[in-house]
Amino acid sequence: MEKTGDTQGCQTKNEEDIPKSSPFDFVMKQFQGKRSSSGKRKEQPSAIKKFFSGFDFGKSEGKDGGETEGTEKNNCSADDQSEKRDLSLDDGPSHPVSEAESPSGEQRFNQLMQKLGKKPNSKNLDLNNCALSAADVTELASLLPYLPELEEISLSWNGCVGGALKALTVQLRHVNLLRVLRLNNCRLTAEDVTSLGEAFEIVPQLEELDLSWNSNIGGKLSLLTKKLPKGCKIKLLKITDCNLTAKDGESLAEMLNVIPNLEVLDLSINKHIGCSMKVIAQDLKNVPGLKELNLHMCGLKQDSLQGLDAALQHLAELRKLDISCNKEIGGSFKDAAAHLANLKNLEVLDLHQCCVTEEDVTVLSQVIPLLSSLQELNLSSNKNVGVSSAPLLGRLRFLPKLKSVAISNCDLGEESFSSLAEAALHLPELEILDLSWNKCVGGNLKLLLGALKLATEIQVLRLSSCNLVAEDLALLTLLTQDGHLARLRKLDLSYNNSVSDEGWMVFCHGLAAFKELSELDVSLRPSSCRDCGTWFSELLAALTKLPALAELGMQRWVLSESQRQQLESFNQDNKRNIRFDC
């Protein structure tokens, strides 16, 4: 029986187990492949000794057979290893596994991307929401040396990045062209924040850093900021909803001293940072090129707004200011709007849900018309906008560049609505108009008739919960039949339970004229339900003539069995893919 391995060759054999060829033939074969080695070398066990050690020529007296066999096995193992080393020396230096057997860095990268369902891109690594594991993060880190041209890394919405980020940050030295790093909602830990702070020096080209929705950053921002090199090139910094504390606000203020190129700062949904807003505002002067400042829901108070206004004099380049959902700043605009009027480049102003007082509205009616570049204005959920006698809405006529006006839930009266309608005649570029939750619109939509005829660019019209009546819907269809509202894409008529079945019939009959409409909502109020009338057939007929429609809201309309079957088969019968929200 032939030997099948070294270990078998070391086991004790009987004579019938000896190979048919002679021992000396075997020995000669062992030596034929070996080259002679020059120089002195430790004497190695001969192949003859190895060969014959497998045969039983008698055991030493006084020793147990099992012990002898074990000793022989151990000696064989040692001898075998020694010979392997000897053969290695004789045959030249050992080599790593060949490239054919071991995948290259590029191949490994492609394999990882394929596993994650992504197309390989050596400049933009987009792995958002890919259910990455900690092992994936480690594998990705090991591949960075093979991606020297990488400019963007997006790992957002991968919870397992948290606790594993250090493996990645230590390899960032291999991608020194990195400009963008997005780590939203990654469950970052204190160690992750520290390692990221230490990595700033090895990514000198970094311009965008997004750490939003990582609640563990709260109270630890100093770990990130204390190692930030002076003159850092960061232009965009987003730290939305990170549970920032007042102490973090102080760390952020210090950070502003070393990032002079900052253009976008988003601190939204950090309710405790308002306490340190005065400190932050004092250092905003160090980022004179700031273009966007988002302080939505930051717990701002009246003194916070005053400090912010003082900072605005240094922010001549500001394009967007969002201080919405800060209810405690109401009543402070009188002492905090002096420099707001000087923002000649401001394009977006969001003041929704700020509890502005009638006095605030008076001040804003003097300030807002001076913002000559303004394109988007949101005053929603400020009841006093509609109640005040101040001519704020009427003065919007002095802002001809306005493209979006949101005045939902402002308790408009017929007088204030009439002022707005008149001002809208002077807004030729208007694209978005939101009048939702203003009951006075119902039955008075005709006041907007002139403005809607001139608004050739309007694409979004929101009239949810406006107490609309059949006459209002008939007016809309009439406008479209006359060639107006030709570019309308989104129409929200939800929560208008006051419209009769006859009104819906008239509307559906003329619906086909909204050629570019992509979204339509006719849902009823949450607390109600109603049988869908005969207008349903008109609705389906109109849908076949609206090629762009992708979404239809019909919540709380009760469909008959036949109507439901028609709706369920509509997409298949008409080769469409409309999402019906019923």
Side-chain angles (χ1 to χ4, degrees):
M1 183 174 66
E2 291 185 5
K3 292 195 300 180
T4 57
D6 290 319
T7 305
Q8 282 182 307
C10 293
Q11 293 174 347
T12 305
K13 299 180 183 293
N14 295 321
E15 289 189 15
E16 61 264 28
D17 294 326
I18 301 175
K20 293 181 179 180
S21 58
S22 72
F24 295 98
D25 290 336
F26 177 80
V27 171
M28 291 306 296
K29 289 179 181 178
Q30 292 290 318
F31 280 98
Q32 281 175 356
K34 296 183 67 176
R35 296 194 299 269
S36 60
S37 176
S38 59
K40 294 182 179 180
R41 191 177 62 186
K42 183 178 178 180
E43 183 178 348
Q44 302 295 334
S46 70
I48 298 176
K49 181 179 178 181
K50 289 194 60 167
F51 179 77
F52 284 107
S53 65
F55 296 91
D56 184 5
F57 291 114
K59 299 179 178 64
S60 302
E61 291 183 4
K63 287 195 176 184
D64 181 82
E67 181 183 352
T68 303
E69 182 179 349
T71 304
E72 288 174 344
K73 286 183 182 179
N74 290 335
N75 289 339
C76 176
S77 178
D79 292 344
D80 186 51
Q81 293 299 322
S82 178
E83 183 174 52
K84 284 181 180 177
R85 287 194 298 270
D86 183 43
L87 289 171
S88 176
L89 287 170
D90 286 344
D91 294 337
S94 60
H95 295 283
V97 182
S98 67
E99 290 186 5
E101 297 174 353
S102 177
S104 65
E106 182 180 355
Q107 290 173 326
R108 286 170 53 205
F109 175 65
N110 292 342
Q111 290 170 0
L112 180 62
M113 293 300 100
Q114 184 177 10
K115 168 190 169 184
L116 298 173
K118 295 286 186 176
K119 290 184 178 180
N121 188 325
S122 61
K123 290 190 176 182
N124 184 354
L125 188 59
D126 183 359
L127 298 178
N128 291 332
N129 197 23
C130 280
L132 295 179
S133 65
D136 291 331
V137 177
T138 303
E139 171 69 5
L140 181 62
S142 70
L143 294 173
L144 291 186
Y146 304 101
L147 301 171
E149 298 180 356
L150 194 61
E151 297 181 2
E152 297 186 23
I153 298 178
S154 299
L155 303 179
S156 299
W157 306 96
N158 288 289
C160 287
V161 171
L165 189 64
K166 188 172 183 179
L168 190 74
T169 57
V170 296
Q171 298 291 340
L172 290 180
R173 65 181 183 275
H174 297 291
V175 288
N176 52 21
L177 296 180
L178 190 68
R179 297 186 305 102
V180 179
L181 181 59
R182 301 187 183 97
L183 299 169
N184 303 353
N185 196 25
C186 286
R187 298 182 184 176
L188 299 185
T189 65
E191 183 182 7
D192 296 326
V193 176
T194 301
S195 64
L196 185 59
E198 292 172 345
F200 279 137
E201 291 183 348
I202 56 178
V203 282
Q205 305 301 322
L206 192 66
E207 296 179 357
E208 297 185 17
L209 179 62
D210 193 345
L211 302 174
S212 300
W213 298 295
N214 285 288
S215 58
N216 288 328
I217 290 180
K220 308 176 186 69
L221 195 62
S222 61
L223 299 176
L224 181 72
T225 60
K226 63 184 179 182
K227 294 192 175 182
L228 201 63
K230 191 173 180 61
C232 184
K233 293 185 178 181
I234 289 180
K235 294 181 178 180
L236 180 149
L237 179 62
K238 291 187 175 183
I239 323 179
T240 298
D241 195 10
C242 285
N243 199 26
L244 298 184
T245 64
K247 187 68 175 177
D248 292 324
E250 296 175 6
S251 298
L252 180 65
E254 294 175 2
M255 187 178 185
L256 294 176
N257 293 315
V258 294
I259 48 175
N261 298 315
L262 191 66
E263 295 181 359
V264 177
L265 178 60
D266 189 345
L267 304 175
S268 56
I269 321 179
N270 286 289
K271 298 179 181 180
H272 304 296
I273 203 171
C275 299
S276 55
M277 187 51 60
K278 289 183 69 175
V279 178
I280 296 173
Q282 289 174 358
D283 284 305
L284 284 174
K285 64 179 180 293
N286 296 312
V287 286
L290 194 67
K291 291 181 171 60
E292 295 185 18
L293 179 59
N294 192 340
L295 301 174
H296 165 79
M297 203 183 293
C298 278
L300 301 185
K301 304 182 185 302
Q302 293 192 357
D303 60 341
S304 305
L305 190 60
Q306 293 170 7
L308 180 61
D309 181 65
L312 292 181
Q313 63 183 312
H314 305 290
L315 303 178
E317 298 299 317
L318 201 64
R319 303 286 195 277
K320 177 179 179 179
L321 177 61
D322 186 345
I323 54 175
S324 60
C325 295
N326 288 288
K327 297 181 180 180
E328 294 187 45
I329 64 176
S332 62
F333 282 90
K334 180 180 178 181
D335 301 316
H339 297 101
L340 179 61
N342 295 324
L343 298 178
K344 302 301 182 184
N345 293 308
L346 194 68
E347 297 175 353
V348 179
L349 178 61
D350 195 339
L351 300 176
H352 85 266
Q353 203 170 336
C354 284
C355 293
V356 297
T357 63
E358 290 192 49
E359 187 177 22
D360 291 331
V361 176
T362 300
V363 173
L364 292 173
S365 65
Q366 298 170 355
V367 172
I368 290 179
L370 299 176
L371 303 175
S372 56
S373 297
L374 201 63
Q375 297 180 19
E376 299 180 26
L377 176 63
N378 192 340
L379 298 172
S380 297
S381 297
N382 288 293
K383 301 285 188 180
N384 285 310
V385 169
V387 175
S388 174
S389 59
L392 173 58
L393 298 180
R395 289 187 176 179
L396 296 183
R397 70 177 66 197
F398 299 115
L399 301 172
K401 294 182 180 180
L402 272 179
K403 294 182 178 181
S404 175
V405 177
I407 313 181
S408 68
N409 194 27
C410 282
D411 203 14
L412 296 183
E414 189 170 337
E415 183 179 349
S416 52
F417 180 49
S418 180
S419 296
L420 174 64
E422 187 178 346
L425 292 170
H426 304 276
L427 305 178
E429 297 184 23
L430 194 63
E431 296 178 1
I432 301 173
L433 179 60
D434 188 353
L435 298 174
S436 299
W437 299 89
N438 288 293
K439 306 302 182 185
C440 77
V441 176
N444 290 307
L445 195 60
K446 57 183 177 290
L447 295 175
L448 267 180
L449 182 63
L452 293 177
K453 284 183 177 180
L454 296 174
T456 57
E457 300 298 317
I458 196 159
Q459 299 177 29
V460 179
L461 181 59
R462 302 192 186 280
L463 300 172
S464 176
S465 193
C466 283
N467 271 5
L468 298 182
V469 296
E471 180 187 353
D472 297 320
L473 297 193
L475 177 66
L476 288 175
T477 56
L478 184 62
L479 282 170
T480 57
Q481 290 169 1
D482 289 343
H484 305 295
L485 303 180
R487 299 191 62 191
L488 195 67
R489 288 180 170 80
K490 298 181 181 181
L491 178 59
D492 186 354
L493 302 175
S494 62
Y495 300 0
N496 284 291
N497 293 29
S498 48
V499 177
S500 63
D501 281 355
E502 292 75 16
W504 288 118
M505 177 66 82
V506 171
F507 174 73
C508 291
H509 186 69
L511 182 58
F514 292 88
K515 295 296 184 183
E516 295 193 22
L517 198 65
S518 61
E519 293 182 22
L520 173 64
D521 196 344
V522 296
S523 299
L524 296 175
R525 291 179 180 279
S527 59
S528 63
C529 64
R530 190 162 130 198
D531 289 338
C532 197
T534 55
W535 55 268
F536 181 77
S537 298
E538 289 286 343
L539 174 64
L540 291 184
L543 295 185
T544 62
K545 301 175 183 178
L546 297 175
L549 195 74
E551 185 170 341
L552 174 62
M554 292 188 63
Q555 292 184 19
R556 289 168 291 280
W557 283 104
V558 180
L559 304 180
S560 67
E561 184 61 29
S562 62
Q563 289 174 334
R564 184 166 296 280
Q565 289 177 357
Q566 286 179 301
L567 197 63
E568 290 175 352
S569 62
F570 180 87
N571 281 331
Q572 184 175 357
D573 294 345
N574 295 278
K575 297 182 179 179
R576 297 289 297 277
N577 190 28
I578 299 176
R579 189 175 80 87
F580 295 105
D581 187 8
C582 299

